[in-house]
Amino acid sequence: MMHGLNTCLLLYLLTWLGQNANGSEIINGAKVGKKSMLFMASVQNDKGHVCGGFLVSEDFVLTAAHCDDMNPKRVVLGTHDLKRVDNNTIRHIEKKCKHPSYKTASLGYDIMLLKLSKKAQLNRKVKLIGLPKTGKEIKDNQKCSVAGWGSTKTRGNSVDDLQVVEVPIINLNDCKEKWKHEVKNKDFNLPANIICAGGYPTKNGFCEGDSGGPLVCNRMAVGVVSFNMRRNCNYPDVPNVYTDISKYLPWITRILKKKKC
C-alpha cells in the first residue's frame, strides 16, 4: 500500500493512522426527522454508544470493522433519541463478522456485519436500507448524506439525537492527492475500495462516534464511515474516507444468505 518508505516510517504511519483515524460525530448537521433514516442503528458497548450502523436485513446490521475495537455488545434500533432506549429497541449481537482481510482502517477492508440475536421487527419505526449494485458509479460532486450520533466538534461528546448532514462526493484522485499533501509523503496511498465525501472543501463531515454509519446516495447505502485525519473535525480539512460497499457485495450477500460468517 505504501512504497519507498523505510520500515520505521511505515510502522509510524500505520500506528498514527490507526490511533487517529476513527470517524467522529456529524459536523454542521441537523436533527433527523422521526420518519427519516429508520434504518439507522446505534452500536453500543456496556458504556453506551460507540459507533453507527445500519440495518440491511432483519438479521444483520452493517458497520465498520474498526468498531470491534470498542467491544460492541448490542445495537439500538427504532429510535433516533438514545435517551429513549428500552427492551423493544435493543438487539444483542450474536456474532461479529469482520471482513477476513481487515487489519486496521488505514489498510482498508473496514467493514463488518453484526448478526443480531433476535430478528429486527420491521415496522413504522424500523426499516431496511438498500445496497448499491456492483460497479454502479457515484458521480463526482453528487450530493449525499451521512448520519450519526457522534460528536459535533473535535474531541466533543456523542449526542443523544441522531444528526444528518449533506456531503459532496469527491473525485478519488483528488482525494488521494489531498491526503498525500497532508501526510507530506508522495509515496503514501489511501487504501483501495474507498469513497471520499465531505470534509473538503465543505465544512460538513463526520466526527468521532459516527464510524460505521452509512453514506447515503439516491436512498441507498453506498459507503461506511471509516476515517478522517487525526480525528480532526474542524473542516474544511482533507476528505472524509468511507468503505465502498459496492466492492464487497459478494461477501455481504453470502453472509446474509447463509445467516452466518
Side-chain angles (χ1 to χ4, degrees):
M1 300 297 295
M2 305 177 189
H3 305 287
L5 297 175
N6 61 41
T7 302
C8 291
L9 181 56
L10 175 61
L11 289 173
Y12 167 78
L13 278 174
L14 292 179
T15 301
W16 174 75
L17 277 172
Q19 292 177 343
N20 296 286
N22 292 343
S24 317
E25 207 206 40
I26 298 300
I27 303 301
N28 292 321
K31 187 176 176 180
V32 176
K34 291 183 179 180
K35 296 182 180 180
S36 299
M37 309 193 89
L38 302 179
F39 47 80
M40 287 296 298
S42 169
V43 179
Q44 303 189 347
N45 61 18
D46 292 334
K47 295 181 179 180
H49 175 84
V50 292
C51 276
F54 45 105
L55 194 66
V56 294
S57 80
E58 292 174 287
D59 297 287
F60 285 93
V61 163
L62 191 59
T63 188
H66 78 258
C67 291
D68 191 36
D69 296 343
M70 279 74 81
N71 194 27
K73 299 290 186 63
R74 64 184 192 176
V75 302
V76 171
L77 300 164
T79 180
H80 291 346
D81 182 355
L82 296 186
K83 297 190 300 295
R84 296 179 179 275
V85 174
D86 55 31
N87 289 335
N88 292 324
T89 60
I90 293 172
R91 289 290 185 277
H92 291 282
I93 297 169
E94 180 179 292
K95 183 73 174 177
K96 292 178 281 190
C97 303
K98 281 192 289 189
H99 193 280
S101 297
Y102 173 79
K103 294 181 180 178
T104 68
S106 58
L107 293 177
Y109 304 100
D110 191 14
I111 191 167
M112 175 169 65
L113 281 161
L114 302 175
K115 173 72 163 58
L116 306 181
S117 60
K118 182 181 178 182
K119 282 187 176 183
Q121 297 299 311
L122 304 183
N123 52 44
R124 62 185 180 86
K125 292 184 177 181
V126 179
K127 306 289 184 185
L128 304 180
I129 187 170
L131 301 179
K133 304 297 182 184
T134 302
K136 186 172 183 179
E137 294 186 1
I138 308 166
K139 296 179 180 178
D140 294 346
N141 300 315
Q142 181 175 339
K143 302 299 184 184
C144 300
S145 61
V146 58
W149 288 272
S151 54
T152 53
K153 62 181 180 179
T154 301
R155 311 293 186 229
N157 296 320
S158 295
V159 296
D160 291 320
D161 293 312
L162 182 65
Q163 305 284 306
V164 63
V165 71
E166 184 179 87
V167 290
I169 299 296
I170 298 170
N171 176 273
L172 191 55
N173 289 329
D174 291 346
C175 178
K176 291 177 179 178
E177 288 305 313
K178 297 297 181 187
W179 272 82
K180 280 186 179 182
H181 182 267
E182 181 66 21
V183 174
K184 295 180 173 57
N185 190 293
K186 62 183 177 60
D187 294 315
F188 171 80
N189 285 312
L190 288 171
N193 302 334
I194 61 167
I195 298 170
C196 296
Y200 174 93
T202 175
K203 293 182 179 180
N204 298 347
F206 58 67
C207 194
E208 192 166 0
D210 291 326
S211 290
L215 177 66
V216 180
C217 305
N218 300 324
R219 299 182 180 180
M220 293 185 301
V222 302
V224 181
V225 173
S226 187
F227 60 86
N228 59 6
M229 176 69 79
R230 303 188 189 98
R231 297 184 182 176
N232 174 43
C233 311
N234 299 321
Y235 302 128
D237 191 27
V238 292
N240 292 167
V241 177
Y242 298 78
T243 303
D244 185 347
I245 292 174
S246 71
K247 302 299 192 296
Y248 298 94
L249 287 176
W251 176 77
I252 293 170
T253 301
R254 184 172 64 254
I255 292 175
L256 296 188
K257 185 177 181 179
K258 293 183 177 180
K259 300 187 186 303
K260 62 180 182 180
C261 304

